[in-house]
Amino acid sequence: YINGASGTVLSTTGDITILGVGGAGTNSNYGVYLFESGGYVTTSSGAMTITGSSEGTGDGNVGIVINSASGYFSSTSNSK
């Protein structure tokens, strides 16, 4: 759960790996959730790997969600 500007993940030289697994409930279980304005994940020279999954059984179970007009994932090299 990356929430707004306080949820920023930044690397200038190293790799970033994010692994998220949503819960096993019924609805709206998210693995990786970028929420609110200003939150971002970025690297300028390292690799970025983001993997998300959900174990929910109903509706809206998603591995990776960007719920923001200005939130983003960004890499200038080796993203996966």
Side-chain angles (χ1 to χ4, degrees):
Y1 195 87
I2 303 166
N3 188 5
S6 63
T8 296
V9 179
L10 170 66
S11 173
T12 56
T13 60
D15 296 345
I16 294 174
T17 300
I18 298 174
L19 172 62
V21 179
T26 305
N27 298 322
S28 302
N29 297 281
Y30 310 123
V32 176
Y33 190 50
L34 179 61
F35 182 71
E36 293 296 331
S37 298
Y40 62 90
V41 178
T42 187
T43 180
S44 57
S45 65
M48 180 185 303
T49 304
I50 301 171
T51 305
S53 63
S54 177
E55 297 179 355
T57 59
D59 295 326
N61 297 297
V62 181
I64 300 173
V65 175
I66 301 176
N67 186 6
S68 169
S70 63
Y72 60 90
F73 298 103
S74 172
S75 175
T76 56
S77 68
N78 302 327
S79 295
K80 299 179 183 177

